[in-house]
Amino acid sequence: MELQISNLNKTYSNGVQALKDVSLTIPQGMFGLLGPNGAGKSSLMRTLATLQEADSGSITLGDIDILKNKSKVREILGYLPQEFGVYPKITSYDMLNHIAKLKGISNKGERKDLVESLLNKTNLWHVRNKSLGTYSGGMKQRFGIAQALIGDPRLIIVDEPTAGLDPAERVRFHNLLSEIGENTIVILSTHIVEDISNLCQNMAIICLGEVVAQGNPNDLTKNVVGKIWTKAIEKSELDTYQNEMQVISTHLKAGQTIIHVLSDEKPHSSFKKGAANLEDVYFAEITTRMETVSA
Ligand code: ADP
């Protein structure tokens, strides 16, 4: 089954055009949606999750029209929003049991099996009787996934999931997501390039409401191979370089400022050829667009 988004547009009442003719084809597996803050990621996620309306365009999941058949979509959707509130006094076991009941799983034995398997899958079994308010950030996120998985969803939407997680929690969360991605569509929205390069077979970069690139992360990276040049500079020289060439990113390494420049030719003999990666693709796509806006 494929998720097909075609020519989606959304302008908020304050005049901000958050989605501009967005078209994406999203196959089974993990799909990364990458973009800076304000790019339109959450607007797209909320529209997919049937929480807000688009002005025009269409979204289909297999033969289901998502924009027209909201109740059908909600049956097959798991959504983990950016801001995920939990009831602090209830245990994860009781909460999952409650949500399963709300989602129509009325058989007690079936519900018990489901809740127990979800608690095991998300590695929360040992804290199943602790109240959600005592959970760490990583545990809350895994609980979020557990609740999103109730009802055997075919589409799972995860919005900015790793903010606030420590490295070990992040790895555990990623492993869980990729396991789930083996037999469903999982859309992971984030501004963290590394999360996408580690996890996703397909991705899109969105900037100022527009899809500016989409494809396999390795194929997208091939487009900039041989065009990335790096140099260690003094911080005070940055303006000069930015005026003279297309500096797409700056990194600090052992106290030094390293610039990455996008250019078909070596910009100067003092530059070294950089090993292109997905972060270079991302910055190459977004820096010029963002500069146009802020200029
Ligand atoms: P992202 O998730 O990529 O950070 P959003 O979809 O939240 O982006 O926002 C896209 C743009 O739409 C931003 O300029 C944001 O300020 C604006 N926006 C988001 N939600 C609303 C809203 N409810 N009303 C008005 N503007 C909004």
Side-chain angles (χ1 to χ4, degrees):
M1 190 170 353
E2 234 175 41
L3 181 72
Q4 187 73 50
I5 301 170
S6 308
N7 309 103
L8 205 65
N9 285 285
K10 172 72 182 178
T11 302
Y12 289 109
S13 53
N14 61 0
V16 172
Q17 198 180 352
L19 299 174
K20 297 177 194 165
D21 229 19
V22 168
S23 294
L24 291 171
T25 301
I26 302 184
Q28 184 150 308
M30 290 218 41
F31 185 92
L33 186 67
L34 185 63
N37 288 330
K41 301 183 298 296
S42 294
S43 299
L44 180 58
M45 298 297 100
R46 288 195 301 262
T47 313
L48 289 173
T50 74
L51 298 173
Q52 74 179 41
E53 303 279 341
D55 299 331
S56 60
S58 70
I59 310 176
T60 54
L61 176 64
D63 52 9
I64 305 168
D65 184 329
I66 288 204
L67 298 179
K68 294 202 178 113
N69 201 342
K70 295 205 173 83
S71 55
K72 180 81 191 146
V73 176
R74 285 174 194 154
E75 281 171 24
I76 54 161
L77 172 82
Y79 180 47
L80 178 58
Q82 206 169 355
E83 299 284 322
F84 182 68
V86 290
Y87 293 98
K89 296 216 168 105
I90 192 165
T91 68
S92 54
Y93 192 104
D94 289 345
M95 192 67 205
L96 290 176
N97 190 45
H98 178 67
I99 299 172
K101 224 187 260 178
L102 291 179
K103 284 209 176 176
I105 303 165
S106 52
N107 181 295
K108 217 171 164 184
E110 193 185 325
R111 221 165 46 232
K112 181 172 178 282
D113 289 348
L114 173 69
V115 168
E116 292 187 354
S117 86
L118 287 173
L119 285 166
N120 278 313
K121 190 170 199 161
T122 54
N123 203 10
L124 291 172
W125 179 253
H126 62 298
V127 287
R128 67 192 178 283
N129 294 323
K130 292 215 162 102
S131 53
L132 291 169
T134 65
Y135 278 21
S136 70
M139 287 176 186
K140 278 186 193 147
Q141 286 293 42
R142 296 205 305 281
F143 173 77
I145 284 289
Q147 62 82 30
L149 286 175
I150 295 175
D152 209 8
R154 281 183 279 161
L155 170 63
I156 296 181
I157 295 173
V158 190
D159 202 353
E160 299 276 1
T162 53
L165 299 193
D166 70 34
E169 285 176 327
R170 199 164 141 217
V171 168
R172 206 175 293 151
F173 189 73
H174 282 170
N175 289 341
L176 177 60
L177 281 184
S178 44
E179 205 178 292
I180 296 164
E182 282 168 17
N183 38 29
T184 38
I185 299 175
V186 180
I187 304 179
L188 169 68
S189 157
T190 183
H191 62 274
I192 304 171
V193 181
E194 208 190 333
D195 284 359
I196 302 225
S197 47
N198 289 344
L199 286 170
C200 301
Q201 303 91 325
N202 291 289
M203 65 172 294
I205 300 174
I206 172 170
C207 184
L208 300 166
E210 281 179 278
V211 176
V212 295
Q214 63 176 306
N216 170 278
N218 292 333
D219 292 344
L220 290 175
T221 305
K222 280 185 199 142
N223 295 337
V224 295
V225 167
K227 297 181 185 171
I228 302 297
W229 306 91
T230 69
K231 184 180 179 181
I233 62 160
E234 293 299 325
K235 213 170 158 210
S236 56
E237 299 171 315
L238 183 58
D239 274 355
T240 314
Y241 281 98
Q242 278 174 329
N243 289 333
E244 285 176 9
M245 50 193 79
Q246 198 184 342
V247 178
I248 55 168
S249 62
T250 60
H251 301 258
L252 283 176
K253 202 169 178 186
Q256 272 194 315
T257 302
I258 314 281
I259 54 172
H260 283 211
V261 168
L262 179 72
S263 169
D264 288 339
E265 308 286 334
K266 193 176 207 171
H268 182 265
S269 59
S270 57
F271 278 79
K272 278 195 233 155
K273 192 176 260 183
N277 57 32
L278 192 60
E279 191 175 88
D280 293 317
V281 177
Y282 175 61
F283 285 124
E285 290 293 348
I286 69 161
T287 38
T288 42
R289 290 178 170 88
M290 301 297 275
E291 274 163 17
T292 319
V293 174
S294 58

